Amino acid sequence: MENILKLPNSKLIDKYNRRLNYLRISITDRCNLQCSYCTNRSLIPKLGHKEILSYEEILRLVRISVSLGISKVRITGGEPLVRKGVYDFLNELTKINGLMDIPITTNGVLLKDNIEMIKAAGIKRINVSLDTLKSQKYKEITGHDMFHQVWEGIELAPKIGFDPVKLNVVVLNGINDDEFLDFARITFSYPFHIRFIEYMPIGTPRMSTGRSLLASEIKNRLSALGKLIPVEKGINDGPAERFKFEGAKGEIGFICPISRHFCNMCNRLRLTASGQLRPCLLSDYQEDLKGPLRKGYSDKQLAEIIIKAVRHKPSRHNLSMNYPAGLSGQMHAIGG
Ligand code: SAM
């Protein structure tokens, strides 16, 4: 991957003066887990092969997006590692001039066996979703008995050179709230960045409706382990508030879409597996790119659609714990 120091003049500045430079791409709607809070198990859609963007189509859209000002692309899903040909695709993606950061988000089920290929493709950092450290509970949440396999991949990741390795922990009241201290303790023995993410009440009816936990409460609980020392933010940092315990190898972060929404600094666009461009995770507005791609639109015409989507980015979401988003899309389809 070639870094370019001079950023192109961005054409992706929205009505609220936010510069969008981060594109999250869901390369498949399929997943090898069915997490109860993410996927409605009774309604698992599977897009046909022709309904999802081909890798060539995605790469073309990435090149156009980079020419407009995108410098970071995250590959997600569904579960990105289940899509056939993903390692060759990553290899092509990391060759695109102007992309400076290309992390992937995975559930880690296929990580251990494929970690060398991910590295060889030029990916430098990964996020692994892991909501519990208990194998029985893992099975209950995800529907699959895969905890040990996932954990082996996670342990391997820093040894192979991924840096940082972030563990995404969605805060699920009554399900994993007894494990926050255990997750935080991991940072004393491993260089992992634990990211506690507030649960967003969208897309699934299966989630328990008990009082949801916000980051402030988790922070209070973690103080039992010592003082959380703020970590200075880097320029490419996302919305996480970052902390460290004294003497720890890893970090703790809080992502608070509910209690401290970060819409004013949101720099994201999302491309779904079916080729829809969404300027906000929590709004159903989207622009179709697949149809125009397949009708033979030029790069310039596709760029115009991307710019149009940016102009429609809402100023903020209206989600709160008491006001769930009435979204038609589900997380596994949009990409989280
Ligand atoms: N399969 C990959 C994985 O598990 O990381 C990528 C896709 S998954 C949809 C991306 C992230 O969204 C995961 O970390 C998942 O826990 C998170 N997620 C799903 N539903 C969520 C919700 N309602 N609130 C907050 N995070 C959610």
Side-chain angles (χ1 to χ4, degrees):
M1 187 190 348
E2 200 178 309
N3 283 357
I4 53 162
L5 294 171
K6 201 165 158 277
L7 293 173
N9 281 334
S10 181
K11 298 208 171 51
L12 304 182
I13 297 179
D14 74 4
K15 286 194 295 216
Y16 307 96
N17 224 14
R18 291 170 297 195
R19 184 184 190 278
L20 311 189
N21 63 353
Y22 179 12
L23 177 64
R24 297 169 70 106
I25 304 176
S26 171
I27 60 168
T28 176
D29 66 327
R30 298 179 187 224
C31 191
N32 45 2
L33 297 180
Q34 283 83 43
C35 297
S36 54
Y37 63 89
C38 179
T39 312
N40 185 340
R41 290 180 192 167
S42 61
L43 188 126
I44 300 170
K46 285 198 175 56
L47 293 170
H49 189 62
K50 291 212 171 96
E51 292 169 275
I52 63 171
L53 293 182
S54 68
Y55 287 134
E56 291 71 26
E57 288 169 330
I58 297 174
L59 290 166
R60 181 171 171 211
L61 289 177
V62 172
R63 285 190 195 99
I64 296 170
S65 304
V66 168
S67 76
L68 296 174
I70 292 293
S71 56
K72 171 176 176 179
V73 161
R74 177 178 297 278
I75 298 304
T76 176
E79 170 50 37
L81 301 187
V82 300
R83 183 159 172 190
K84 213 169 144 201
V86 62
Y87 306 107
D88 290 336
F89 163 70
L90 292 176
N91 221 348
E92 291 306 311
L93 185 68
T94 56
K95 284 184 198 149
I96 293 180
N97 242 341
L99 274 185
M100 294 188 268
D101 194 14
I102 312 176
I104 62 175
T105 298
T106 170
N107 60 31
V109 168
L110 297 173
L111 187 58
K112 190 181 85 171
D113 292 340
N114 298 288
I115 200 159
E116 298 282 1
M117 279 197 285
I118 302 171
K119 193 82 208 327
I123 301 297
K124 296 192 169 64
R125 59 188 196 88
I126 52 174
N127 289 32
V128 186
S129 305
L130 187 73
D131 302 319
T132 175
L133 297 167
K134 298 178 181 170
S135 61
Q136 178 55 31
K137 200 190 287 180
Y138 187 92
K139 192 174 166 191
E140 285 159 21
I141 296 174
T142 67
H144 295 267
D145 191 5
M146 291 288 177
F147 172 78
H148 294 289
Q149 185 165 321
V150 172
W151 184 253
E152 282 173 36
I154 291 172
E155 280 196 305
L156 204 52
K159 294 181 193 150
I160 299 280
F162 289 101
D163 181 25
V165 175
K166 296 185 185 173
L167 303 190
N168 287 355
V169 183
V170 176
V171 171
L172 303 166
N173 197 18
I175 298 177
N176 63 5
D177 54 320
D178 56 335
E179 295 190 61
F180 298 154
L181 288 176
D182 295 336
F183 271 110
R185 275 191 202 101
I186 288 179
T187 63
F188 289 101
S189 358
Y190 295 92
F192 301 148
H193 291 197
I194 308 292
R195 290 281 185 262
F196 290 107
I197 302 174
E198 286 175 351
Y199 166 73
M200 291 178 276
I202 70 172
T204 167
R206 291 178 53 90
M207 189 55 203
S208 75
T209 50
R211 188 178 59 92
S212 292
L213 277 174
L214 300 179
S216 51
E217 189 164 340
I218 304 165
K219 253 186 242 173
N220 277 343
R221 295 200 199 174
L222 297 193
S223 62
L225 292 182
K227 189 169 181 293
L228 279 169
I229 305 160
V231 173
E232 209 175 303
K233 273 191 168 240
I235 45 165
N236 289 322
D237 274 2
E241 277 186 89
R242 297 167 56 189
F243 299 89
K244 221 178 158 145
F245 287 112
E246 196 168 335
K249 295 181 181 164
E251 284 187 15
I252 309 276
F254 300 94
I255 300 186
C256 318
I258 304 292
S259 64
R260 278 192 57 208
H261 76 84
F262 37 85
C263 302
N264 61 333
M265 52 178 280
C266 180
N267 60 351
R268 302 167 179 197
L269 284 170
R270 289 179 163 81
L271 180 63
T272 69
S274 61
Q276 309 303 308
L277 190 65
R278 288 187 165 235
C280 173
L281 170 65
L282 298 167
S283 152
D284 266 337
Y285 169 78
Q286 57 187 23
E287 283 295 332
D288 178 37
L289 283 167
K290 182 178 67 182
L293 261 171
R294 294 182 183 178
K295 281 186 198 136
Y297 277 38
S298 66
D299 285 2
K300 187 163 173 282
Q301 288 171 309
L302 292 168
E304 277 161 12
I305 298 174
I306 297 171
I307 291 169
K308 180 175 173 209
V310 167
R311 270 195 239 114
H312 279 82
K313 189 172 171 77
S315 65
R316 59 160 295 174
H317 71 70
N318 289 312
L319 188 66
S320 74
M321 279 306 162
N322 305 320
Y323 183 55
L327 290 183
S328 61
Q330 292 215 4
M331 280 296 252
H332 68 93
I334 306 169

